[in-house]
Amino acid sequence: MPTHVLVARAALPFLVSLLLALLLHFGVARFLDDYDRGLVMSVGINIMLAVSLTMVNGFTGQFSIGHAGFLGVGGYVAGAVTYATSLKLYGDLETRGSMLSGTSLNVDPATLSWFGQGDLLFVASLLAGGCAAALIGYVVGLPSLRLRGDYLAIVTLGFGEIVRVLIQRTDKTAALQAWDRVHPGVPAPEGVSRVFAIENSVLDPATGLSQTTYTAVSDANWFEIAPRVGGSLGFSAVPDYTSIFWVVLFAGVTIAVASRIKRSTFGRAFLSIREDEIASEAMGVDTVRYKVRAFVIAAFFAGLAGGLFAHFKSMNPNEIGFARSFDIVIMVVLGGLGSISGASIAAIIVTLLPEWLRGLDQYRMIIWALALILMMIFRPQGLLGVREIWDKALWQGLVRFIKREKSSPKAGGGA
Amino acid sequence: MLEVRSLAVKYGAIQALHDVSLKVEKGEIVTLIGSNGAGKTTTLRTISGLIRPAAGSIVYEGKDITRLAPHEIVKLGLAQSPEGRGVFPQMTVEENLSLGAYTRSDHAQIAKDREHALSLFPRLRERLTQLAGTLSGGEQQMLAMARALLAKPKLLLLDEPSLGLAPQIVQTIFKIIRDINAEGTTILLVEQNAHMALKVAHRAYVLEVGRITMQGDAKELAASDDVRKAYLGGH
């Protein structure tokens, strides 16, 4: 095939994602209220998480249950980059994005242009978060992917908890303080009454009492501010750059990359590990290296998703714990292990269904759990099995199934 | 071409192989026969790097491959068709075949070899888009062999190709083994079906509880009383 056709074919899914992102951002989002817009973004972020985990649990057949850890690493790193850079560069935590990005409440949307300096900061921070997660993925994956099955599950579980506990132990974020608390005895300049400052507690050895002092953000260096990500209080200080545009764009890129991988030689090596690890080794596949690759790629996209999450909702140690990891595993299993479109559909269901059931109050989690159990009994291979929604074989199977139902109405539902 | 010297393999406290030595010369079919649990598969897997030996060495074309990883060994031209066929059940026949050529990048030559492999196993051509797990046992065996051939091996390791197959298919498989060998591929064949194995092989080794007990010309071994009694059901 000529090169330009190959390039066009490779670029097409990304262009489609871009168009879809623009369409949803400027078209559909107009008709949604804030709550629904938030749901759309949650769905997109969960699709990224589910599709990235599909590359590990679905493609290579490993069982990782610490995926939220990567969400955490990416989210906190990306959040810290935007937060500390905004404070150092601008001295505040307002957004400075374009009409494509999310905006602070006190920025007038009418004043926005097609490009904002903040967009660059935002995308750079997302990439930083993704790369940090990928790096951690490499460090965690290299020793643990030599192990098989259950051991990997235990290691990834431990990893997720370590991330959560480490974040819980971080310091409070900078907050607006009165000028005379930060600079006692120094007269305030004209027009400045409050400054951003970080709080330091120091134990006085003489009295045994703790003393609180404040350091103005302008006096602190970048590396003093960045690690102050809020601890157990959560990290809500990150400017809200995330918008439907960015979420849909990155979710589209995640799906496009995952499906390119699935159909490549690279991806067949992943799938062969899941099918039969020994046969795969006998074919000449370096299985450990491939498992690590899958793990690193998955961590990168989970990190990106984390970055989007951090610039959208408040990051919180509880958000990245075991429960969140398990939600992602449920999406992957529900969609069908190895199915990208299946995981995406499952991510939509898993995000929206509990919201729709909110009216049922305390019964909602019971119904949710029941639905999952029934699903696993009647369709253990997941919604789509290993197939994709764009596979012809899936639809042929469905047509055959419907025809058989018609010709023998008493045949029952055995699929 | 391949020389295994004093190989010992242990599974924990159990010693599976004691002092196994064997040689395969270029162009030969060498068979390793023996009953269940004699250590035939262990020997093959150790050669292809899937199991680490406790002692001994494996030399392939003058190079010591004892400590190499499986994927490095495949790159040297030593391909294995694993026991129990080991096809990838949820992948199509087509995808299975392309994984066989995994270590190669010469696309034009791969396409030719694929055609050739399909001409050896015409049944597979009819089943290219079918999931490998839905093939019959014989077809899966054919697929496993075709897949191993696509690695363009100089030495092909076949693990029990007749296992669980109908006698007629066994005949076909062994005919193809001979054809592959006639085209210049050296073959090390592990078999329980001593009768068929000794028919196609040039030389043979008999493995009993982890030790080589007999070796020599395949025709002579087939005629010897000990082998006839133990493995050929003869009197």
Side-chain angles (χ1 to χ4, degrees), chain A residues 9-89:
Chain A
R9 191 182 281 190
L12 187 69
F14 299 101
L15 283 175
V16 170
S17 310
L18 183 66
L19 282 177
L20 190 68
L22 287 171
L23 184 76
L24 284 174
H25 188 73
F26 290 111
V28 181
R30 204 176 285 258
F31 306 103
L32 300 176
D33 57 20
D34 269 352
Y35 171 77
D36 287 333
R37 251 174 285 188
L39 276 186
V40 172
M41 289 194 264
S42 293
V43 165
I45 289 169
N46 280 338
I47 286 177
M48 289 178 73
L49 291 169
V51 170
S52 58
L53 189 64
T54 291
M55 293 188 231
V56 175
N57 289 22
F59 290 3
T60 65
Q62 304 304 301
F63 198 65
S64 165
I65 49 175
H67 209 50
F70 297 115
L71 167 85
V73 171
Y76 273 96
V77 168
V81 167
T82 312
Y83 154 76
T85 312
S86 291
L87 282 179
K88 281 310 283 181
L89 228 55

Side-chain angles (χ1 to χ4, degrees), chain B residues 11-31:
Chain B
Y11 292 120
I14 300 161
Q15 185 145 13
L17 294 183
H18 305 262
D19 195 23
V20 167
S21 297
L22 57 88
K23 244 185 186 176
V24 181
E25 300 292 346
K26 205 170 171 63
E28 278 188 314
I29 300 182
V30 173
T31 183

Side-chain angles (χ1 to χ4, degrees), chain B:
Chain B
M1 184 174 211
L2 178 78
E3 192 174 355
V4 175
R5 293 186 200 128
S6 312
L7 203 62
V9 172
K10 286 178 184 166
Y11 292 120
I14 300 161
Q15 185 145 13
L17 294 183
H18 305 262
D19 195 23
V20 167
S21 297
L22 57 88
K23 244 185 186 176
V24 181
E25 300 292 346
K26 205 170 171 63
E28 278 188 314
I29 300 182
V30 173
T31 183
L32 187 60
I33 57 175
S35 55
N36 254 341
K40 303 184 301 285
T41 296
T42 302
T43 310
L44 266 203
R45 287 193 171 181
T46 312
I47 294 172
S48 51
L50 295 167
I51 298 174
R52 294 255 166 266
S57 67
I58 303 160
V59 177
Y60 169 73
E61 292 197 312
K63 190 177 157 110
D64 187 344
I65 60 165
T66 322
R67 302 274 152 202
L68 290 188
H71 64 271
E72 292 165 320
I73 295 176
V74 175
K75 276 192 196 134
L76 295 174
L78 214 151
Q80 190 190 36
S81 154
E83 189 196 13
R85 304 184 268 274
V87 299
F88 303 114
Q90 298 268 26
M91 295 173 135
T92 63
V93 170
E94 178 96 66
E95 287 168 331
N96 266 273
L97 289 176
S98 39
L99 267 163
Y102 173 76
T103 52
R104 303 169 57 192
S105 50
D106 44 340
H107 295 285
Q109 191 58 39
I110 292 173
K112 260 189 213 162
D113 291 345
R114 182 176 162 280
E115 273 312 299
H116 180 63
L118 288 175
S119 68
L120 283 174
F121 303 99
R123 281 284 272 289
L124 294 181
R125 194 188 296 276
E126 301 159 23
R127 308 241 183 280
L128 276 178
T129 57
Q130 205 169 317
L131 291 186
T134 64
L135 298 179
S136 75
E139 288 164 346
Q140 287 190 21
Q141 183 57 53
M142 292 176 191
L143 177 56
M145 286 173 62
R147 193 181 58 180
L149 279 180
L150 274 172
K152 208 169 179 61
K154 293 179 216 156
L155 175 59
L156 179 62
L157 308 178
L158 295 174
D159 197 353
E160 304 254 9
S162 75
L163 192 74
L165 299 184
Q168 205 182 349
I169 297 168
V170 173
Q171 295 278 352
T172 317
I173 297 271
F174 275 91
K175 188 191 160 300
I176 295 169
I177 291 176
R178 212 180 266 159
D179 291 345
I180 293 170
N181 176 249
E183 284 161 10
T185 309
T186 312
I187 293 173
L188 176 57
L189 169 68
V190 155
E191 258 303 335
Q192 260 193 74
N193 186 338
H195 179 70
M196 288 301 294
L198 290 174
K199 244 187 187 170
V200 299
H202 302 104
R203 287 191 307 113
Y205 292 84
V206 179
L207 197 60
E208 271 176 51
V209 231
R211 293 173 202 278
I212 302 274
T213 52
M214 273 179 274
Q215 63 183 75
D217 185 84
K219 304 277 168 311
E220 281 170 22
L221 272 183
S224 92
D225 283 348
D226 289 341
V227 173
R228 286 169 68 103
K229 261 187 216 147
Y231 301 105
L232 301 176
H235 301 284

Side-chain angles (χ1 to χ4, degrees), chain A residues 35 39 43 46 327 330-331 334 346-369 371-372:
Chain A
Y35 171 77
L39 276 186
V43 165
N46 280 338
D327 277 349
I330 287 173
M331 293 174 205
L334 198 66
I348 297 172
I349 297 174
V350 170
T351 319
L352 295 184
L353 201 60
E355 293 297 326
W356 290 336
L357 293 176
R358 223 170 250 286
L360 298 170
D361 218 32
Q362 71 263 46
Y363 299 109
R364 126 187 123 107
M365 289 327 277
I366 300 176
I367 294 174
W368 175 226
L372 285 179

